């Protein structure tokens, strides 16, 4: 096996802690080629000999790389993000029109080609910006930015805002916000990837605690929807050299990344890591994805059906070019895409937020904004979980609905879940669960009951009625008693979580207030419910 010293890109004018801000960002955001290890804070380098693979030592995949000639330029183009709407892509480029040496651009697929890329104006400034990742519905984007954060490079987030005079071809982004010190450090943090279900945020960083130069790190979504502290991906992924441009498949099963610290064809190669029986297995993605040049930024669309990467191999238009990889070289587990619209009780569109919880653990896995103009949302849910989707907006009661994605799902599918939000002084059906003819709350009830707890603690002047209802089967007196006991079980949970008992009235209505026809099982299921009703002030 041949060996070679790690190469250093000629355009790097200075190590990370020296030179101009633009030079540091070019070093930081791109990491577009093998970089000599920076020793400590001094910026010196040491020669590191990495084994080089020959083509006959690497498998050849039955895939084709097609350059995106409508998009590539004479400058560096890399880092594609594509939501469920596969007619739009976001990417990074240093082409003419960039506000700095790198900016975020977008392009629309129209009339059989990608239109001329346009600058995503709201996302960019005079410092280098790039490497975007977007949520499936396209309503939130994360990216890297230099110069205004806590360290050399930070992660930022922007949400879709009101359209106003913005062209229908573009997304009207709000002012980007720093992702905060929980995620960012005073070091270099870049190249984010948000999981399709919103549960994990991957990125590359040179912060202390890593195994080498740049390591892959990740944050998990905390139960309350915030981000937990970053965790190093460990020695199964990271090496003593650089691991960059992480990308998680939409089923959360495969992590793609580029590394110059593993045996490769040359420079940075693309690798894929999968978990099998609790052990992480990393494989080289082979030829033609990898070459004897630098191959980075492998990414998948939110539906897993499109794949892209960037490379500075010969034959491109200049620098790094973007390539489409077809067919996608990895299988994605079947998933459920949930789409819907949020309206109020009068049918008016509401710019709401959708929180996603795993009902078995009460763990929040994601939080997604609706389009502020249309009220639409789109969420990707991996199979094998029972989910609660909760829509909420200021001035309205929350509303939760259940979506079960079976572990036996054989093909990806779509479900429609629309929400109607009642005013804050209205009534809402609670997503609580009981065994037949029983009044003990099942554990899946925790998610929505915790929403009630938060609602009542945030609105300390409001009193509520917890109303139990049944269908018309069985003895009427027994139905009243069961409905009352179920409502009382809800009150007991709320009181145990610091809600004063005198703010909660319990009523059992039995079958007296049906909302559907009791002659069908579907209608009877709708009538078996527990509701929260906000009471008028006394």
């Amino acid at each position: 096996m041949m060996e070679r010293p790690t190469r250093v890109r000629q355009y790097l004018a200075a190590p990370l802690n020296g030179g101009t801000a633009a030079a540091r960002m070019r070093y930081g955001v791109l990491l577009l080629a093998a970089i000599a290890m920076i020793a400590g804070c001094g910026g010196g380098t040491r020669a590191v000999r990495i084994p080089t693979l020959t083509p006959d030592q690497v498998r050849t995949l039955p895939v084709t790389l097609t350059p995106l000639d409508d998009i590539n330029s004479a400058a560096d183009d890399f880092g594609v993000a594509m939501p469920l709407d596969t007619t739009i892509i976001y990417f990074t480029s240093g082409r003419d029109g960039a506000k700095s040496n790198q900016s975020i651009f977008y392009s629309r697929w129209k009339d059989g080609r990608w239109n001329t890329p346009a600058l995503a104006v709201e996302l960019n400034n005079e410092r280098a910006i790039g490497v975007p990742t977007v949520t499936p519905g396209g309503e939130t984007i994360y990216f890297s930015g230099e110069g205004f954060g806590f360290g050399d490079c930070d992660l930022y987030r922007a949400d879709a805002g009101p359209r106003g005079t913005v062209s229908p071809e573009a997304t009207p982004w709000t002012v980007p916000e720093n992702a905060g010190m929980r995620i960012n450090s005073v070091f270099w943090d870049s190249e984010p990837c948000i999981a399709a279900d919103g549960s994990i945020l991957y990125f590359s960083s040179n912060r202390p605690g890593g195994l080498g130069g740049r390591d892959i790190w990740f944050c998990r979504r905390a139960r309350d929807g915030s981000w937990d502290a970053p965790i190093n991906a460990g020695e199964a992924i990271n090496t003593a050299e650089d691991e960059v441009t992480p990308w998680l498949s939409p089923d959360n099963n495969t992590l793609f990344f580029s590394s110059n610290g593993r045996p490769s064809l040359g420079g940075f190669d693309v690798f894929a890591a999968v978990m099998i029986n609790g052990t992480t297995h990393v494989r080289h993605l082979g030829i033609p994805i990898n070459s004897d040049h630098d191959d980075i930024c492998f990414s998948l669309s939110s539906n897993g059906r499109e794949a892209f990467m960037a490379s500075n191999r010969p034959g491109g238009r200049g620098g790094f070019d973007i390539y489409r990889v077809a067919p996608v070289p990895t299988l994605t587990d079947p998933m459920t895409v949930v789409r819907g619209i949020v309206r109020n009780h009068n049918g008016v569109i509401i710019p709401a937020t959708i929180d996603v919880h795993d009902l078995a653990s009460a763990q929040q896995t994601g939080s997604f904004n609706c389009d502020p103009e249309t009220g639409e949302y789109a969420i990707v849910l991996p199979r094998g979980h029972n989910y609660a989707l909760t829509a909420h907006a200021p001035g309205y009661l929350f509303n939760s609905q259940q979506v079960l994605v079976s572990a036996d799902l054989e093909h990806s599918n779509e479900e429609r879940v629309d929400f109607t939000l009642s005013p804050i002084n209205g009534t809402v059906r609670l997503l609580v669960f009981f065994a037949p003819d029983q009044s003990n709350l099942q554990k899946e009830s925790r998610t929505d009951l915790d929403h009630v707890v938060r609602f009542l603690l945030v609105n300390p002047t409001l009193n509520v009625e917890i109303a139990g209802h049944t269908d018309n089967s069985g003895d009427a007196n027994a139905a009243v008693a069961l409905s009352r006991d179920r409502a009382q079980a809800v009150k007991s949970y709320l009181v145990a979580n610091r809600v004063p008992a005198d703010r909660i009235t319990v009523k059992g209505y039995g079958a007296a207030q049906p909302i559907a026809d009791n002659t069908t099982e579907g209608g009877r299921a709708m009538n078996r419910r527990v509701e929260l009703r906000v009471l008028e002030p006394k």
Side-chain angles (χ1 to χ4, degrees), residues 285-300:
L285 279 193
I287 298 172
I289 291 174
N290 291 309
S291 69
D292 60 356
H293 286 67
D294 296 307
D295 307 296
I296 60 170
C297 293
F298 186 93
S299 65
L300 297 177

Side-chain angles (χ1 to χ4, degrees), residues 127-146:
R127 301 297 182 95
I129 301 292
V131 199
T133 176
V134 65
T135 52
E139 77 291 333
T140 300
I141 192 169
Y142 292 83
F143 58 90
S144 310
E146 181 264 5

